[in-house]
Amino acid sequence: MGNETPAMTVWVVYARPHQAWRRQVDLPAGATVAQALAASGFTQAFPDVDPWQAGVGVFGRRVQPGHSLSGGDRVEIYRALVFDPMESRRRRAAHRARKSPGARPPRTPKAPR
C-alpha cells in the first residue's frame, strides 16, 4: 500500500497517407496530452512533424497540450489538409451534373442589387 498513482492506458495515433502509426502508452492518472505525446516517442519517430501545427485531439475533438486524459482515450495527431473540402465537393457536384443526362445547368450567382 504505497503512494502509487493508478496507471491508465491511452493510444497515440497518427494517420499517414498509406499507413497509420499508433502506440499504446501507460501513464499515471491525470496525465496530459503533452505527456502522452512525449511518452509515445512521436517526436523521435517523426522529427520533422510538429504535432501542434495541424492540431491534436482526443476522439475527434481538438484539445490543448494540458488537457487531462482518461484511461482508454485515443490521442490523435492531425495532418494539414491537402485540399479544400468545399472546393472538392463543388468539383464532384459539377462532374456528376455533366455525367447525368437532362441535368440542370449549374446555378449562377445573383447579381447585386
Side-chain angles (χ1 to χ4, degrees):
M1 318 290 156
N3 290 339
E4 293 181 24
T5 306
M8 64 177 172
T9 301
V10 298
W11 283 94
V12 178
V13 297
Y14 178 58
R16 296 184 296 170
H18 301 290
Q19 183 180 6
W21 178 89
R22 66 183 194 163
R23 294 292 182 269
Q24 184 176 353
V25 182
D26 293 321
L27 301 167
T32 65
V33 171
Q35 291 170 327
L37 284 177
S40 71
F42 178 79
T43 54
Q44 290 80 15
F46 303 97
D48 56 334
V49 176
D50 176 10
W52 302 105
Q53 184 177 19
V56 175
V58 176
F59 289 122
R61 300 191 76 175
R62 201 168 178 159
V63 296
Q64 297 300 314
H67 176 81
S68 293
L69 296 170
S70 300
D73 279 353
R74 182 181 66 228
V75 177
E76 302 160 342
I77 301 159
Y78 303 128
R79 291 183 293 129
L81 293 176
V82 177
F83 58 88
D84 177 18
M86 288 302 293
E87 181 60 29
S88 179
R89 183 187 172 285
R90 284 186 200 102
R91 288 181 183 177
R92 284 194 311 270
H95 180 74
R96 280 193 297 269
R98 284 191 303 268
K99 287 179 75 174
S100 71
R104 295 187 320 188
R107 291 178 50 188
T108 55
K110 290 184 178 182
R113 295 181 192 207

